Amino acid sequence: MAAPESGDGNNGAARMVTLISSDNTRFEVEAAAASLSQTLQLTILDGGGGGGDGIPLPNVDSATLSKVLEYCIKHAPAAANGGAPNATAVDRAELERFDNEFVNIDQSVLYSLIMAAHNLEIEGLQSLVAKKVADMIKGKSPMEIRRTLGFPDPTPEEQAEMNAHMLEYGWAYE
Amino acid sequence: MSFSLFLRYCSITTHLRASVHGDLLDNTRDWDSTELKFGGVNLDLGINKIHIILGTLIQVLSISICVAKNKLYDKKLVLGRYGSEFCVAMSNSSIQTHPHFPILCSLAAPALRTPPARPSTQLATKHLPMASGADHISDLPEGVLHHILSLLPTHDAVRTCVLAHRWRDLWRSAPAVRIFGC
């Protein structure tokens, strides 16, 4: 990955920080990438995470953190360019392709990712994973949504509620 | 205060409050076909036109809106009813051409406010493991579910309300009007 442009960011082009997952795995990553997390950003700006210290992330396991960092590393250059006004169409297409591929994962992994993105406040990732779930819901009937998302089949009581809802909100089911 | 500053502020407080004052001009239009103007709108959010689509008229004199970290430029607002509450959807420029964009929210005008969500619902949210291991969509925090709903076209979002009690309570637990962005 190209070193972020020095300038209005923090000092140094490729400063590294260490993140420690809940299962004590250490990840060394460029500060610019980790700073996509608003949760981490302040700590990093304050000089945390460098040297032998590391920033512990008790809410994120190593498998998830590794995935999260994959996203951050990929997106950091564009973010450093302030939304990449000068990014080429090729760059954007490449990021889009990466994003699509990135969320093509098991639901359990997806939910772990959602939680991590939420806890770490990585805005782009939050949007990406939320959109993935939204896409899983979109255009489906309630029963299809239930099955897609792994809800158990409705109890008779729930079924009756669903029917009543469908009657009342017929427009939503057309 | 500029809007971007306002948003920065709201990322700290979670919600941004704005006010809409107005009267609903019509009460018997269908969701799909009607676009009505919302009188006396006072929103400093760059919203240039507001559409209201209501199943049932209820006089709304003052609605407060919470916006989660969000960009609200040039959006349209769509109001509708969900049960005893209102729904508000916002879209970028056209609901039809931007199916991802409607921002759904639950809105409770003071007079219409339903009782607060049952304590059990709130607890269920709070007791979520902060760990990254939610293994079911309903285990996700409320804010995340709201975010997901916000990305759905109105029709789809309403359909999710029949998924489970948890999802119904999502709307009821909204403290005020909430518009969740994408």
Side-chain angles (χ1 to χ4, degrees), chain B residues 42-56:
Chain B
N42 177 18
L43 255 188
D44 291 319
L45 300 178
I47 295 171
N48 49 13
K49 195 171 177 187
I50 293 192
H51 298 255
I52 297 176
I53 305 172
L54 265 192
T56 309

Side-chain angles (χ1 to χ4, degrees), chain A residues 112 138-140 146 169 172, chain B residues 83 100 130 132 155-156 159 163:
Chain A
S112 300
K138 200 177 303 169
K140 294 195 165 110
R146 290 184 77 102
Y169 296 94
Chain B
H100 298 266
M130 284 299 281
S132 47
H155 285 44
D156 289 301
R159 279 181 223 155
L163 284 181

Side-chain angles (χ1 to χ4, degrees), chain A residues 85-164:
Chain A
N86 51 2
T88 65
V90 175
D91 288 341
R92 280 197 296 271
E94 161 62 17
L95 269 190
E96 196 172 318
R97 187 203 59 76
F98 170 86
D99 283 353
N100 289 336
E101 189 70 19
F102 186 78
V103 289
N104 193 11
I105 45 179
D106 277 358
Q107 271 188 45
S108 59
V109 183
L110 183 64
Y111 296 146
S112 300
L113 216 47
I114 291 174
M115 286 303 292
H118 179 70
N119 289 331
L120 293 171
E121 291 186 68
I122 303 169
E123 205 173 324
L125 184 56
Q126 284 176 294
S127 298
L128 178 64
V129 288
K131 181 175 177 306
K132 170 69 177 179
V133 178
D135 285 344
M136 286 156 56
I137 294 173
K138 200 177 303 169
K140 294 195 165 110
S141 72
M143 279 306 282
E144 287 169 333
I145 296 172
R146 290 184 77 102
R147 292 197 177 115
T148 305
L149 299 180
F151 281 83
D153 282 344
T155 62
E157 187 196 14
E158 283 174 329
Q159 186 65 54
E161 277 187 31
M162 283 168 70
N163 293 344

